[in-house]
Amino acid sequence: MFGFFQYKQFGWWSLILKTGSGFQDFITPTEMENVGVLMTCPMSAYLEQELEKRFTLFKLWENPSRTEFSARYADSVKAVVGNTKLGADSALIDSLPRLEIVASYSVGLDKIDLNKCKERGIRVTNTPDVLTDDVADVAIGLALATFRKICASDGFVRRGLWRNGDFKLATKFSGKSMGIVGLGRIGSAIAKRASAFGCTISYHSRTKKQNTNYTYYSNIVDLAANSQILVVACALTEETRHIVNREVIDALGPKGILINIGRGPHVDECELVSALREGRLGGAGLDVFENEPDVPESLFGLENVVLLPHVGSDTVETSKAMADLVVSNLEFHFLKKPLLTPVV
Amino acid sequence: MAAAADEHQPSETPPLLLVHRLPRFKLSFFPFLQTEYTVLDPLADPPDPSFPDLSKSARIMLCVGPTPVGSDELDRYPAVECVVGSSAGLNHIDLAACRRRGVRVTSAGDAFSDDVADYAVGLAIDVLRRVSAADRFVRAGSWPVQKEYLLGSKVSGKRVGIVGLGSIGSRVAKRFEAFGCTIAYNSRSMKSHVSYTYYANVVDLASNTDILIVCCALTNETYHVINNDVMTALGKTGIIVNVGRGALIDEKELVEFLVRGELGGAGLDVFEHEPHVPKELLTLDSVVLSPHKAVFTPESFAALEKVVLGNIQAFFSNEPLLTEI
């Protein structure tokens, strides 16, 4: 974006000076505007706007079918912008022969066929760091809302029940033991916040982290057995699919709560629902589900769960920062500059 | 030499403990009392025939919940030398009347502070990130239909302003610091041992704040301390969280500001006329409503029991009271 603003001020000659890479790498503004970018689904009106200013934007959802879209536009598409709902799977990549880059409006990469991208030399970028704080804030917000029954008691007041008597006791959050699955950027940010509440922190990760004092468990069941709050904050891969299974849920137990701000498939949702309904698990704060936007209806009547529609990074501030990062990565790619946040 | 007389009392007569409570506050809050003390309860059912006489000799009064203690009550029980409070706040006790009669008062100390601070942070995150509203959205089955939910507002890095940097306020500050928030406060006087920015004036504090947390004591000076000027200074993007007392905020003004969208939102655990909540708030998504339960955890009540029992025991042993105010 920065590069493009300078271009508009000083004319297209400045692009040669800026890139400094010679005449052969020069891209005219018209060429940039003709670059086809395919957005997979609605994710941000601001992002659509910014992409439309710079590129030719195709919206997959406005086309009657994928095959029709491919037939008409496939050769024009050099970039795909996807997100956690719809990324760039093998079929989509195969249908776009001129595809050069996939810029994901997310930090999670589970909806992108990374191997295929590597094979075809397609670049991939995501949006790390800008959303770390927001997701960590939601994790803590979910833990507080679940333990302290904030949502349930808000409903109690709205339904006029306070007149008849007090709400029941909730459970203290401060000082509880928190186990974090995945101590990456988001996991560490959650740990930092929880520590300020006097929580003791332990974690499970693929490997032990060298520069931390938190207790490490090489086995997630042991982590769950020693935690009152289990937070899922790792990436979704083949290894971590259903990492929170019946055994882990049982180890967490009737006084434990599960917080999931990772991906729905991290948790065996059927087992989770049974455990909650049968009182084998104390509660759950969930931002993600296996089949979004479908949420098991049997959770709707429970007071010990908090259910969010995948809003971990959905703030005005972060959405803009994520969109800006997507746009910058695309611009830099077509200007042959180093990508800001490449994954592949 | 009443204290000396107590020490020589025959051991079969446990010391008298007068309980003062509104009907809705049950004695079951303090189960240990019956074994240790001769409990005098004016609301006992059936009535205790020895109450009228014995109550005149009771030297210590346990005030259960925010039950008012003023000149009338102190006159009714002339032998009382100490009132043991059991609430986070003390605005229901006429401290001046107690002082005039030489009656000592103890508070709940820090027993509730962690839980109230946690709750304040929880309410703030809920308001800014729309947790309760989004939870309602999902439970209503709206997610598959409407696909997207509204964007919230970032919590981390925001400016937090705390009205009352006491035992609760300082814990609120510590928690928000871990979110990268900057902390400023207003208090009766500046605290020299903290590095947070002090504002002598709540309006100035509000002008430089995104998240205003109200957790000070309710006194004559702080009645309606959050008024039209403060809410104007806080503005459309600012939010208020109140875990103090309802009367700290001019509730009528608050409702107007919220309904007109001139205040970003509010998380309220307390109201001016509990359990009444202004009906305009019941349909707003920009507020989170709570039925005065910031202290309602078994952990807080266990800590309270310890403090209450400790104060009573200290009184009868002539030792310094634990949490004398």
Side-chain angles (χ1 to χ4, degrees), chain B:
Chain B
M1 306 282 67
D6 269 344
E7 280 161 41
H8 298 302
Q9 258 185 339
S11 52
E12 319 81 73
T13 321
L16 301 177
L17 174 67
L18 176 66
V19 167
H20 180 61
R21 63 185 178 97
L22 289 170
R24 60 190 175 102
F25 300 128
K26 307 284 178 245
L27 258 190
S28 54
F29 268 124
F30 301 108
F32 58 85
L33 294 178
Q34 315 278 1
T35 47
E36 303 271 330
Y37 302 97
T38 303
V39 174
L40 305 174
D41 178 11
L43 300 180
D45 185 25
D48 176 0
S50 62
F51 180 84
D53 279 335
L54 283 182
S55 63
K56 300 272 185 264
S57 324
R59 295 172 54 221
I60 187 167
M61 171 199 282
L62 170 61
C63 180
V64 180
T67 306
V69 175
S71 296
D72 289 345
E73 288 77 20
L74 295 170
D75 287 341
R76 204 181 307 150
Y77 306 115
V80 163
E81 298 166 31
C82 178
V83 172
V84 174
S86 62
S87 307
L90 288 166
N91 54 296
H92 54 284
I93 298 181
D94 185 341
L95 298 174
C98 289
R99 230 170 295 136
R100 280 196 298 274
R101 289 165 174 73
V103 172
R104 302 154 80 190
V105 179
T106 65
S107 70
D110 283 351
F112 299 124
S113 304
D114 278 343
D115 271 331
V116 180
D118 289 357
Y119 209 65
V121 177
L123 286 175
I125 300 177
D126 193 324
V127 174
L128 286 171
R129 300 301 302 271
R130 302 174 177 272
V131 175
S132 288
D135 175 87
R136 281 197 292 278
F137 173 82
V138 173
R139 282 176 208 256
S142 305
W143 193 9
V145 178
Q146 269 168 247
K147 306 282 192 272
E148 292 293 323
Y149 191 64
L150 289 172
L151 292 179
S153 180
K154 189 166 179 172
V155 175
S156 278
K158 287 278 164 63
R159 302 167 301 171
V160 171
I162 301 177
V163 183
L165 200 71
S167 150
I168 295 170
S170 53
R171 283 165 172 76
V172 170
K174 177 175 174 221
R175 282 147 176 73
F176 273 119
E177 279 187 299
F179 289 74
C181 292
T182 52
I183 312 289
Y185 70 103
N186 165 262
S187 219
R188 273 168 302 193
S189 57
M190 187 162 141
K191 315 271 176 190
S192 51
H193 58 280
V194 302
S195 55
Y196 312 135
T197 305
Y198 173 70
Y199 287 94
N201 176 309
V202 182
V203 177
D204 292 338
L205 176 68
S207 307
N208 292 283
T209 286
D210 303 305
I211 304 172
L212 190 71
I213 309 284
V214 184
C215 47
C216 57
L218 177 63
T219 63
N220 289 330
E221 290 76 39
T222 60
Y223 175 78
H224 280 195
V225 63
I226 309 300
N227 56 19
N228 184 306
D229 290 341
V230 172
M231 290 186 250
T232 304
L234 203 46
K236 280 199 199 353
T237 54
I239 70 156
I240 295 179
V241 169
N242 189 4
V243 291
R245 284 288 176 268
L248 289 165
I249 301 184
D250 182 339
E251 201 162 274
K252 272 184 71 187
E253 286 286 342
L254 176 70
V255 171
E256 302 266 309
F257 270 78
L258 287 166
V259 166
R260 290 193 304 247
E262 286 167 20
L263 184 63
L268 308 167
D269 186 43
V270 286
F271 302 85
E272 288 213 69
H273 307 287
E274 294 169 16
H276 172 72
V277 173
K279 63 178 180 334
E280 298 90 331
L281 300 183
L282 301 179
T283 47
L284 288 181
D285 273 355
S286 56
V287 303
V288 178
L289 306 169
S290 172
H292 201 155
K293 58 181 267 280
V295 307
F296 278 26
T297 67
E299 292 90 343
S300 265
F301 286 132
L304 176 69
E305 268 189 22
K306 241 177 118 189
V307 167
V308 162
L309 182 60
N311 275 310
I312 297 172
Q313 284 172 341
F315 175 80
F316 284 120
S317 322
N318 254 332
E319 277 163 22
L321 301 174
L322 300 184
T323 53
E324 183 163 5
I325 61 132

Side-chain angles (χ1 to χ4, degrees), chain A residues 42 85 130 133-134 137-138 140-141 144-145 148-151 153-154 156-158 162-163 166-174 176 192-193 196-197 289 292-295 299-302 305-319, chain B residues 24 114-115 118-119 121-123 125-126 129 131-132 134-139 141 143-144 148-156 158 174-175 178-179 269 271 274-275 277 281-285 287-299 301:
Chain A
K85 289 201 256 306
V130 292
D133 283 340
D134 266 355
D137 293 351
V138 163
I140 300 294
L144 284 165
R148 302 300 302 273
K149 297 194 176 352
I150 298 180
C151 308
S153 61
D154 174 277
F156 176 82
V157 175
R158 283 177 203 256
W162 193 11
R163 278 191 289 267
D166 288 329
F167 195 77
K168 57 179 85 78
L169 292 188
T171 308
K172 186 172 183 171
F173 172 67
S174 271
K176 289 287 193 296
K192 178 174 175 216
R193 286 152 178 72
F197 290 78
F289 302 86
E292 295 169 19
D294 292 321
V295 174
L299 294 179
F300 290 178
L302 298 178
V305 303
V306 178
L307 310 168
L308 297 182
H310 202 152
V311 294
S313 57
D314 285 3
T315 62
V316 170
E317 296 91 336
T318 295
S319 296
Chain B
R24 60 190 175 102
D114 278 343
D115 271 331
D118 289 357
Y119 209 65
V121 177
L123 286 175
I125 300 177
D126 193 324
R129 300 301 302 271
V131 175
S132 288
D135 175 87
R136 281 197 292 278
F137 173 82
V138 173
R139 282 176 208 256
W143 193 9
E148 292 293 323
Y149 191 64
L150 289 172
L151 292 179
S153 180
K154 189 166 179 172
V155 175
S156 278
K158 287 278 164 63
K174 177 175 174 221
R175 282 147 176 73
F179 289 74
D269 186 43
F271 302 85
E274 294 169 16
V277 173
L281 300 183
L282 301 179
T283 47
L284 288 181
D285 273 355
V287 303
V288 178
L289 306 169
S290 172
H292 201 155
K293 58 181 267 280
V295 307
F296 278 26
T297 67
E299 292 90 343
F301 286 132

Side-chain angles (χ1 to χ4, degrees), chain A residues 69-189:
Chain A
F69 174 82
S70 292
R72 291 170 74 184
Y73 300 117
D75 280 347
S76 319
V77 173
K78 291 190 176 173
V80 164
V81 172
N83 70 352
T84 56
K85 289 201 256 306
L86 206 50
D89 60 11
S90 181
L92 182 67
I93 296 171
D94 279 340
S95 72
L96 303 170
R98 316 277 293 285
L99 184 61
E100 295 176 18
I101 178 170
V102 174
S104 195
Y105 182 73
S106 73
V107 68
L109 297 161
D110 44 287
K111 288 277 162 53
I112 300 177
D113 190 334
L114 293 173
N115 285 330
K116 182 133 252 183
C117 289
K118 283 186 197 136
E119 269 171 49
R120 279 195 36 192
I122 295 169
R123 307 303 307 275
V124 178
T125 64
N126 63 349
T127 60
D129 297 320
V130 292
L131 48 65
T132 300
D133 283 340
D134 266 355
V135 180
D137 293 351
V138 163
I140 300 294
L142 278 171
L144 284 165
T146 308
F147 263 122
R148 302 300 302 273
K149 297 194 176 352
I150 298 180
C151 308
S153 61
D154 174 277
F156 176 82
V157 175
R158 283 177 203 256
R159 290 194 307 274
L161 298 173
W162 193 11
R163 278 191 289 267
N164 308 331
D166 288 329
F167 195 77
K168 57 179 85 78
L169 292 188
T171 308
K172 186 172 183 171
F173 172 67
S174 271
K176 289 287 193 296
S177 49
M178 178 180 281
I180 304 178
V181 185
L183 201 69
R185 284 172 290 241
I186 295 173
S188 304

